Amino acid sequence: MIVIENDWLKVEISNNGAEVRKVKHKKSGLDYMWTGDKAYWGRVSPVLFPIVGRLKEDQYQLDGKTYEMSQHGFLRDVVFEVDEQTPTDVSFMFESAGHYINVYPYDFKAIIRYILNEDTLVVRWEIINENKEEMYFSIGAHPAFRIPLLENETIEDYSLHFIAAANKNVMEYEIKDSLIHEKGMSNDLSKIKLTDSLFAQDALIYSNIDQITLASNKSNHGVEIMFEEFPFVGVWSKYMDTDGKMAPFVCIEPWYGIADTYNTTGNLKKKFGINKLKPAESFQAKYKMNFI
C-alpha cells in the first residue's frame, strides 16, 4: 500500500487499480471507506475505464469489428506504477503498450493523482491518446463509503443531499436489465433519506449534479463529493435479495460516460455519453472528497 497523510487524514492506496482502500480521519478517528468485504462487494473505489457500466450484450462495434468487454472495463484490474510521490500526494501511471488491443484497440497512458488538502482528498485523472487516430472512451469513479460510521447509528439515520448545476435541468435515468432508460426531468431533487429498499432496482443515476453529500442526520459525519461539470453521477449500494436489506455502504460515482442505452446501435463512436480525444491530446478531470 502507498500511504499519503497530513494532519487531518491518512490515506492508503493500492497499486492494483490505483484504488483508494482506506481513509482515516485523524481528528475523529473514523474510517470512511468501505472494507471491501466480498460477502457484499469486494471492491472499494475502482476507476472505471474505458467504459462505465455495462455494454449491451457485453460488446461494442468499432470500424467494422466487434469487441467484447465486461462491465466497467479493465483499468480497475491493472497494476499501476508510482510516478511521483510526496508525503501528501502521489500520482500513479499505467501505459497500455498494446496489452489490451484485443478488447480495446487504442493505446493510452492513464495518470491518476491523489492530493491531500486538509480534510479533502482531490482526485485528478489524465488520459493521453497515444494513437494516430481519435480515441473513444469513458471514465468514472466508484468510491464506496461505509455506513453507518458510528455504532449507535443505523442506515436509516443517513441521507443524500444534492446540489444541482446552476441553470441546468437535472435528468434522471434508471437501469433495466443493466441498460439505461431515461425517466425524465427531476424537478425537486434536494434530499433522499436512505432506506433498505432504495437501491432495490439498482443505481440512481442523474445528469447535471455538482455535489452530493452523504451524511448522518444524528452526528453530521459523512462525506461531500464535489464534481462540477461531470455529465453523470450514479449512486448505488448492493441490495441483498436474501434479506431485503441494502449493504452497509453507499457508492457515489461521478462519471464521464454511462452504460449503454436499451436502444443502442452498439457503435462505440455513437455511444451515449462517449468522449473522444484527438491524437496526442489529453483528457483531464478532477473531483474532491471532503470527509466531515
Side-chain angles (χ1 to χ4, degrees):
M1 290 290 176
I2 304 299
V3 175
I4 57 174
E5 60 183 315
N6 60 10
D7 291 338
W8 286 265
L9 300 174
K10 181 179 179 180
V11 179
E12 297 183 22
I13 309 162
S14 173
N15 290 82
N16 294 327
E19 182 181 22
V20 173
R21 301 292 297 185
K22 291 184 179 181
V23 175
K24 183 168 185 178
H25 201 295
K26 294 182 177 180
K27 299 183 184 298
S28 68
L30 293 175
D31 289 310
Y32 282 84
M33 303 306 293
W34 167 237
T35 62
D37 183 350
K38 293 182 180 179
Y40 297 95
W41 185 60
R43 299 182 188 267
V44 178
S45 62
V47 180
L48 317 179
F49 179 92
I51 60 170
V52 169
R54 189 176 295 281
L55 299 169
K56 191 174 185 178
E57 299 180 357
D58 290 326
Q59 63 183 26
Y60 67 92
Q61 289 78 46
L62 185 65
D63 296 331
K65 185 175 180 180
T66 297
Y67 297 85
E68 294 186 357
M69 190 181 299
S70 59
Q71 184 178 28
H72 295 324
F74 54 79
L75 197 65
R76 59 185 179 167
D77 294 316
V78 308
V79 178
F80 282 73
E81 296 180 357
V82 173
D83 191 35
E84 297 180 1
Q85 184 177 5
T86 73
T88 58
D89 72 85
V90 60
S91 50
F92 294 84
M93 187 269 291
F94 174 77
E95 196 159 10
S96 62
H99 293 301
Y100 288 90
I101 58 172
N102 289 333
V103 294
Y104 185 63
Y106 298 114
D107 273 329
F108 64 91
K109 181 184 291 184
I111 300 171
I112 301 174
R113 186 180 180 189
Y114 297 100
I115 307 161
L116 285 174
N117 181 11
E118 296 186 351
D119 54 4
T120 298
L121 179 61
V122 181
V123 185
R124 294 181 179 271
W125 297 328
E126 183 176 8
I127 302 295
I128 301 169
N129 181 0
E130 297 189 325
N131 306 275
K132 295 181 179 180
E133 68 271 4
E134 286 186 324
M135 183 177 105
Y136 293 79
F137 70 97
S138 299
I139 187 169
H142 204 313
F145 306 103
R146 182 174 63 89
I147 57 166
L149 288 168
L150 299 176
E151 291 184 359
N152 65 341
E153 296 177 335
T154 67
I155 286 173
E156 288 78 11
D157 291 321
Y158 285 74
S159 296
L160 294 158
H161 305 262
F162 297 79
I163 297 178
N167 303 315
K168 291 185 179 180
N169 294 323
V170 175
M171 299 299 297
E172 186 173 356
Y173 305 87
E174 61 183 347
I175 298 177
K176 295 180 181 179
D177 298 325
S178 300
L179 301 176
I180 295 296
H181 296 249
E182 185 178 300
K183 290 181 69 175
M185 192 181 305
S186 183
N187 295 317
D188 187 26
L189 181 66
S190 58
K191 179 180 178 179
I192 298 177
K193 185 177 179 180
L194 295 190
T195 64
D196 277 323
S197 62
L198 183 60
F199 302 102
Q201 304 302 318
D202 215 313
L204 311 177
I205 301 173
Y206 307 96
S207 64
N208 300 323
I209 300 290
D210 278 353
Q211 179 177 318
I212 298 177
T213 300
L214 170 67
S216 166
N217 304 313
K218 293 176 67 175
S219 68
N220 294 321
H221 285 299
V223 60
E224 297 172 339
I225 312 297
M226 294 155 279
F227 46 93
E228 291 183 11
E229 298 184 2
F230 275 65
F232 305 101
V233 63
V235 186
W236 175 78
S237 184
K238 187 174 181 64
Y239 178 70
M240 309 304 292
D241 293 314
T242 53
D243 56 10
K245 294 184 179 295
M246 65 172 279
F249 66 83
V250 171
C251 296
I252 300 174
E253 312 173 32
W255 299 334
Y256 271 87
I258 197 168
D260 269 351
T261 57
Y262 72 96
N263 58 351
T264 183
T265 66
N267 184 342
L268 188 67
K269 294 182 179 181
K270 297 181 179 180
K271 177 178 167 59
F272 179 47
I274 200 70
N275 307 284
K276 65 180 179 180
L277 271 178
K278 293 180 179 180
E281 282 193 344
S282 71
F283 165 91
Q284 299 181 40
K286 70 175 182 179
Y287 70 97
K288 301 178 183 179
M289 297 183 284
N290 182 31
F291 299 91
I292 54 180

